[in-house]
Amino acid sequence: MLNHVKLIAQMQQVSDALFRDVSHEYSVARGAWDQIVNDPLFIYKVQSMKHQVPWQLPLWQGKLDLQIPVDQNPMPYQGISVDGSQIYPDRHQGTNCFLINIGSVILQYGMASGSYFDSVPYVFAGDTEADGLPISPDYVNCLRQAFEFQGGLDLIQQKMLPEDKERTFFLFDGSLIFWHLSGKQPELKQFFLTRYMDLLEQWYQTKVLFAGYISLPKSKELVNLVRAFLCNFDPDRSDAHMAVEHVVDAHIAQFFLTPGYRSIVFKSTSDICREYPEHLQPYFFYLHVGNEVARIEIPSWIAQSDDLVDTLARAIVDQCVKGRGYPVLIAEAHEQAVVKGPDRDFFYHMIMKLGIDQKRNTIFSQKVIKKRGIGI
């Protein structure tokens, strides 16, 4: 059990780190940002000197601090979102069984108003390897994301009328830049990168708009522009670029974005993005939804059209208004997907019951047995 007295003492010791005063860093970042946006030659410096710094510097066209208004007049559309959760394999439960639960939602506005909610469990058992890869939490996480994309495609194919696709968009909770594959074993990375690209290609073929929504983003691509400016593209001048160590892009975006406005579109230059086909390469923009600045990630084929970007931004702002600061679609999909404590208990109860029905013994570790009935 948690010792509250000792916890209070520990929390007081780290309170300075918990509530760090970064006002000076913000001031430095603001001053540097103002100089950057007023320097018409800065984009050429980035293009010619980006290889001199170890940070990912985005590419862009237009004025860096341009804020673009998002039309907030009502429009008819239907939104789709899919989310997933999992129960990892647990050797203490005496089985290699694991679960991925996919929650789906469709919400219609200004059309034939309606809604659709569903969740589908996928159970995997019996193996220590799948797809030629060892089953691990990393494998389960990667597989869950593939199921989320596939779940959205299935809804498009099964639930959408062809004439409705132009007024449909899919909102994914998280990044379309597959950071989680960086640093993974080559076999795991290549298998899932190939699978993700195949799914994104199928999305492209449907021509249904889709985007990744990131709440409270911690990305630093705009901050990296500030860092490069402060050290004049010399990373050895750590005293200069470390002056904005705790600033993130959302802080930079708040320098020039007000509620109901979006930034221009930037192209990500992260290493993993080089492995995407050209028309699927990730772009991003920042959107002030009222309560926060969110990061919206989109594929290249959408980013190349201002009309498509504006349509997506309009629908996302509407979702955040309806959700009081957070997209209703994503929140509802999460509720359909989440596996709570009683669900987990039921899952393991069913494993035990099936073992009894088939007259097979399920061998639990002593750790699990001890947790279920602590004796003194």
Side-chain angles (χ1 to χ4, degrees):
M1 65 187 299
L2 187 62
N3 186 313
H4 291 191
V5 175
K6 294 180 179 179
L7 173 66
I8 291 171
Q10 289 284 319
M11 296 291 285
Q12 289 173 338
Q13 289 178 21
V14 300
S15 61
D16 289 344
L18 277 174
F19 305 103
R20 188 186 305 273
D21 181 8
V22 294
S23 56
H24 177 68
E25 293 191 28
Y26 291 166
S27 178
V28 171
R30 181 63 184 262
W33 181 256
D34 288 344
Q35 293 184 67
I36 287 171
V37 299
N38 290 304
D39 181 359
L41 300 179
F42 185 71
I43 187 171
Y44 301 106
K45 295 177 185 176
V46 170
Q47 292 171 345
S48 62
M49 303 174 72
K50 61 184 179 182
H51 299 299
Q52 295 182 204
V53 296
W55 317 302
Q56 301 298 335
L57 303 179
L59 301 177
W60 72 94
Q61 293 181 339
K63 199 169 185 300
L64 263 176
D65 64 342
L66 180 65
Q67 64 167 349
I68 302 168
V70 177
D71 186 353
Q72 296 189 47
N73 290 315
M75 68 172 185
Y77 70 90
Q78 59 183 351
I80 301 174
S81 189
V82 174
D83 196 15
S85 61
Q86 68 288 312
I87 298 176
Y88 295 112
D90 186 349
R91 61 187 178 87
H92 294 291
Q93 298 291 340
T95 175
N96 293 320
C97 189
F98 68 93
L99 166 76
I100 292 176
N101 194 46
I102 299 297
S104 305
V105 60
I106 303 175
L107 298 177
Q108 297 176 327
Y109 303 92
M111 302 169 61
S113 294
S115 59
Y116 169 85
F117 301 89
D118 194 21
S119 65
V120 180
Y122 297 90
V123 179
F124 303 83
D127 299 312
T128 57
E129 288 192 359
D131 302 311
L133 300 167
I135 294 176
S136 65
D138 280 344
Y139 175 84
V140 175
N141 291 337
C142 292
L143 185 63
R144 185 198 65 240
Q145 185 157 11
F147 271 61
E148 290 169 356
F149 285 133
Q150 185 64 62
L153 282 168
D154 290 345
L155 288 179
I156 294 293
Q157 295 164 356
Q158 299 168 13
K159 302 292 182 181
M160 299 293 105
L161 297 174
E163 60 267 26
D164 289 338
K165 289 184 179 180
E166 291 184 0
R167 296 183 293 178
T168 300
F169 84 103
F170 177 82
L171 200 54
F172 175 74
D173 181 17
S175 179
L176 297 181
I177 303 173
F178 303 124
W179 307 103
H180 63 287
L181 294 181
S182 300
K184 295 293 189 293
Q185 295 178 345
E187 297 81 6
L188 180 77
K189 175 184 174 182
Q190 194 54 52
F191 177 83
F192 280 105
L193 188 61
T194 300
R195 187 162 179 176
Y196 294 161
M197 291 304 110
D198 178 64
L199 291 166
L200 292 182
E201 178 64 30
Q202 292 181 58
W203 272 107
Y204 170 69
Q205 296 299 331
T206 70
K207 292 301 186 288
V208 170
L209 300 184
F210 70 96
Y213 183 96
I214 304 171
S215 178
L216 198 65
K218 299 298 183 184
S219 305
K220 289 196 172 189
E221 279 135 308
L222 301 188
V223 174
N224 288 342
L225 296 176
V226 172
R227 296 169 78 183
F229 172 82
L230 289 172
C231 69
N232 196 25
F233 294 86
D234 180 3
D236 291 335
R237 293 181 55 198
S238 59
D239 59 326
H241 65 73
M242 290 290 286
V244 291
E245 181 182 4
H246 300 99
V247 179
V248 296
D249 282 3
H251 301 139
I252 301 291
Q254 286 178 334
F255 294 160
F256 63 93
L257 286 183
T258 51
Y261 285 78
R262 70 170 177 87
S263 72
I264 62 173
V265 175
F266 298 88
K267 181 179 181 180
S268 178
T269 60
S270 62
D271 292 342
I272 192 75
C273 294
R274 298 172 189 167
E275 303 191 49
Y276 289 55
E278 182 63 33
H279 61 293
L280 298 177
Q281 290 198 342
Y283 286 66
F284 64 92
F285 62 92
Y286 287 97
L287 178 63
H288 202 313
V289 298
N291 298 72
E292 68 171 352
V293 172
R295 177 177 165 119
I296 313 299
E297 296 184 354
I298 52 178
S300 175
W301 67 270
I302 295 176
Q304 304 309 317
S305 167
D306 288 340
D307 287 343
L308 295 183
V309 174
D310 287 339
T311 298
L312 260 176
R314 186 178 178 184
I316 292 171
V317 168
D318 184 67
Q319 279 291 295
C320 290
V321 169
K322 289 179 167 60
R324 300 180 181 179
Y326 188 74
V328 177
L329 281 165
I330 295 179
E332 293 293 346
H334 173 76
E335 286 302 310
Q336 295 299 311
V338 65
V339 177
K340 299 179 180 179
D343 300 322
R344 189 180 305 273
D345 293 341
F346 180 75
F347 176 70
Y348 288 122
H349 170 77
M350 284 303 302
I351 292 175
M352 182 184 297
K353 183 178 184 303
L354 288 172
I356 293 172
D357 290 346
Q358 297 185 20
K359 298 181 180 180
R360 304 277 185 90
N361 289 328
T362 303
I363 302 175
F364 299 99
S365 76
Q366 289 300 310
K367 179 177 180 178
V368 167
I369 294 171
K370 192 68 175 177
K371 282 184 176 181
R372 290 178 178 174
I374 297 176
I376 296 179

